[in-house]
Amino acid sequence: MNLSRAKSYHDQFAEVISRETGIKLPSGKKVMIESRLRRRVQTLGFPSLEDYFRHLFEDGGFGAERDEVIDLITTNKTDFFREPAHFQCLMSEMLPQIIQRKQRLNRPVDIKFWSAACSDGSEAYTAAMLLEEAVRNGAGFQYAILGTDISTRMVEAAKRAIYTTAALSPVPSALRARYTMQGRSEDMRGMARIVPALRSKTNFTHLNLMDDSYPVDEDVDIIFLRNVLIYFEPEDQARVIARLARHLTPHGYLVVGHSESMTVKQPNLRQLATAVFQKE
């Protein structure tokens, strides 16, 4: 491989990914890029990564490959009940305050929750289990959950709502028994699916946080965007947070990853706890 040409292709690739997704790919990520793209190179029958890059950038192939490339490059690490303190805050502080405020204003107590980088849906379904438990225990509200992600592959996985037993292990046993269905067929052994009652309360769709506007309601009560902003440049972090704030109802909540609190500098978002902010 011509090293100077390969370097220019890597730089070009990093620039395109940053522009399309906001994700930073410094030179230290070169090995990661190559390892993630290798299978695609083999699937399409290109002799080398350089030939694949040439196809993308000189032969006009990026448009057709865009979704595949984004799926391969994005990090889709997620778990049920990940960073559990946020879900404890959701149930002990956010939810009671939202219900009380809407009742005081004589508004319908409808809770809108948005998982803004939903990956395979684990975060959204964690919230669904907890909110459904509150309803079962007599809390008087209805809820709807939106999950969005830049990866179309992850959005489809979230819609299927099928997870391995290992992936569901962080879910408390009582919730796992109530809200998942064990696979019975041979090909579903060791798998479980989220029950229809929860799936009916969720909607998953593709969304790129780098877009100038989002086709999402502007009265969302709670937005979770966790462990995504760390991959963005500071100016992109600020723009994304400002756009998200526009979709929060007054006094609504934005939750970011524990390591991302310092990225939130939006004037109308007041920090309440580690990585938890409220719109003023």
Side-chain angles (χ1 to χ4, degrees), residues 146-157:
L146 171 65
T148 64
D149 202 273
I150 193 172
S151 169
T152 54
R153 178 171 54 89
M154 286 294 101
V155 168
E156 291 307 310

Side-chain angles (χ1 to χ4, degrees), residues 121-141:
S122 299
E123 179 179 87
Y125 289 123
T126 297
M129 291 178 189
L130 294 174
L131 294 175
E132 188 65 24
E133 280 293 285
V135 171
R136 283 174 55 88
N137 291 328
F141 68 91

Side-chain angles (χ1 to χ4, degrees), residues 5 8 18-19 33 36 119 125 135 141 181 205 265:
R5 173 60 61 83
S8 68
S18 177
R19 184 174 66 248
I33 293 170
R36 293 192 180 184
S119 189
Y125 289 123
V135 171
F141 68 91
M181 306 176 295
T205 190
K265 300 173 183 177

Side-chain angles (χ1 to χ4, degrees), residues 3 8 16 24 53 55 57 73 75 78 85 92 100 120 122 143 168 170 175 195 220 231 252 254 272:
L3 293 180
S8 68
V16 169
K24 298 177 292 185
F53 280 153
H55 169 69
F57 301 125
I73 291 300
T75 298
T78 186
S92 65
Q100 184 181 57
D120 69 0
S122 299
Y143 68 92
L168 289 164
L175 299 186
V195 297
V220 178
Y231 297 107
L254 171 67
L272 300 180

